[in-house]
Amino acid sequence: MEYENRYHLAHSSEYDCLLFDLDDTLYPLSSGLALECGQNIKEYMVQKLGVDKEKLIELSNLLYKNYGTTMAGLRAIGYDFDYDEYHSYVHGRLPYQNLKPDPVLRNLLMSLPIRKVIFTNADKIHAVTALRKLGLEDCFEGIICFETLNPTHKSTVSDDEDDIAFFGPTTTPSSNSKIFDIVGHFTRFNTNVGLPKTPIVCKPQEHAIELALKIANIDPQRTLFFEDSVRNVQAGKRVGLRTVLVGTSQRVKGTDFALESIHNIREAIPELWENDVMKSEVSYPSKLSAAETQPVLA
């Protein structure tokens, strides 16, 4: 492959690419960003969408469970909103000051003579901001983010199989339809009525992962996928990726490796360095910029 020449990889190298989730993967859950993000999402649902506070927790849990992200679920059941406004509200107020430069991880990443790409469900501004705070902005070739997989605000969902959501048989609400009562749906156990589709493409949809691989020209058979989400890891495994669950040392179904921390990568997967024929650090020519860098450079 072209990247083997570019990075002078040994022909016997098992991997061509390392695909990394960002949040709670490259930095720990203890940073508090995930908790704040969840609170911001719930506040947005109440303040901007008029969701009943009494149903908020149950609704949030059902949307996340059945659609992969709360945002995808909200769109599926009929809420329409500006994606940039949503991301600004949810991510723009996060305590990024909790993220500190991580020279240990930076050195590990820079020592790996393999393509490294970020794959996140979050928006590009959040991804670039977090990477800058961690001091990792020039450690990755590019970012596959929300805008990469959702380049336009789609108000409807086609009947094409490529648009299928990750959970179950579906029905398609029009942009003018009333809000689908997903809480009542599961309360009544009405299995004859399918869940609505979401127009949003995101992990853990297998189609989302396949699309990301296609966009970035990544061979799943020669790629390690690092994720903190079990269901995202398992979806990655189903499309042919080698998988690494981050945040626990306990392997589960669908994982090839498990790391308590991303800092344990060298101890857990030493073969990544065994064919290291490059003596200098691997860096990328320009740092990631929300204004200048495309969502993915592939």
Side-chain angles (χ1 to χ4, degrees):
M1 293 178 65
E2 57 181 325
Y3 299 104
E4 291 179 325
N5 294 326
R6 179 177 174 182
Y7 299 121
H8 309 291
L9 291 177
H11 291 294
S12 59
S13 177
E14 186 175 358
Y15 304 107
D16 291 330
C17 182
L18 305 179
L19 190 61
F20 291 89
D21 176 49
L22 172 59
D23 298 305
D24 304 326
T25 296
L26 295 185
Y27 62 85
L29 183 63
S30 60
S31 69
L33 265 68
L35 180 61
E36 289 294 327
C37 185
Q39 292 300 323
N40 290 346
I41 290 172
K42 292 180 178 65
E43 186 175 315
Y44 183 89
M45 292 168 65
V46 173
Q47 298 295 330
K48 302 295 185 178
L49 303 180
V51 172
D52 187 342
K53 288 184 178 181
E54 293 184 359
K55 296 182 178 180
L56 184 61
I57 301 301
E58 186 176 10
L59 176 60
S60 298
N61 290 340
L62 284 173
L63 295 179
Y64 183 78
K65 176 181 178 181
N66 289 286
Y67 291 99
T69 68
T70 307
M71 182 184 188
L74 286 169
R75 288 290 287 115
I77 65 174
Y79 288 101
D80 196 9
F81 47 87
D82 183 84
Y83 293 170
D84 291 338
E85 179 189 65
Y86 178 91
H87 285 131
S88 178
Y89 197 101
V90 169
H91 294 137
R93 303 182 301 158
L94 292 177
Y96 288 110
Q97 68 273 13
N98 292 357
L99 298 181
K100 307 299 181 183
D102 190 340
V104 173
L105 179 56
R106 177 180 175 83
N107 289 336
L108 285 169
L109 292 172
M110 296 291 255
S111 69
L112 282 164
I114 306 175
R115 289 185 72 196
K116 295 173 285 289
V117 176
I118 293 291
F119 180 20
T120 175
N121 280 336
D123 61 293
K124 183 173 67 173
I125 292 176
H126 168 72
V128 170
T129 302
L131 289 171
R132 281 178 172 166
K133 290 293 185 179
L134 293 167
L136 306 177
E137 65 267 40
D138 58 345
C139 293
F140 300 92
E141 179 180 308
I143 302 171
I144 302 169
C145 59
F146 179 86
E147 292 89 341
T148 314
L149 304 184
N150 301 273
T152 59
H153 183 152
K154 296 173 65 178
S155 296
T156 60
V157 184
S158 75
D159 292 328
D160 192 286
E161 290 183 357
D162 286 345
D163 278 330
I164 194 167
F166 94 94
F167 187 90
T170 56
T171 58
T172 305
S174 70
S175 58
N176 297 320
S177 66
K178 65 179 182 179
I179 303 302
F180 179 82
D181 182 11
I182 191 171
V183 174
H185 172 83
F186 282 99
T187 300
R188 294 187 298 269
F189 297 102
N190 188 349
T191 57
N192 294 323
V193 178
L195 293 178
K197 291 181 180 181
T198 179
I200 289 178
V201 181
C202 62
K203 296 178 287 185
Q205 299 165 12
E206 290 177 32
H207 165 61
I209 300 174
E210 291 170 340
L211 181 58
L213 298 178
K214 180 179 179 180
I215 290 171
N217 190 27
I218 293 172
D219 179 359
Q221 301 295 331
R222 295 179 61 80
T223 299
L224 266 179
F225 180 39
F226 294 78
E227 256 281 1
D228 68 290
S229 165
V230 171
R231 61 180 176 177
N232 289 355
V233 162
Q234 292 173 338
K237 189 67 175 179
R238 289 194 294 271
V239 303
L241 289 161
R242 299 290 300 279
T243 57
V244 184
L245 182 62
V246 179
T248 177
S249 58
Q250 301 300 313
R251 288 177 55 190
V252 299
K253 183 179 180 180
T255 61
D256 295 295
F257 303 94
L259 308 179
E260 186 71 33
S261 164
I262 194 66
H263 291 155
N264 302 133
I265 183 174
R266 188 157 200 159
E267 292 81 7
I269 319 175
E271 56 265 38
L272 291 177
W273 282 265
E274 289 176 358
N275 292 307
D276 184 356
V277 297
M278 204 167 103
K279 301 303 181 184
S280 61
E281 291 184 334
V282 176
S283 61
Y284 295 94
S286 61
K287 293 191 175 184
L288 301 171
S289 165
E292 301 174 359
T293 306
Q294 294 299 314
V296 66
L297 307 176

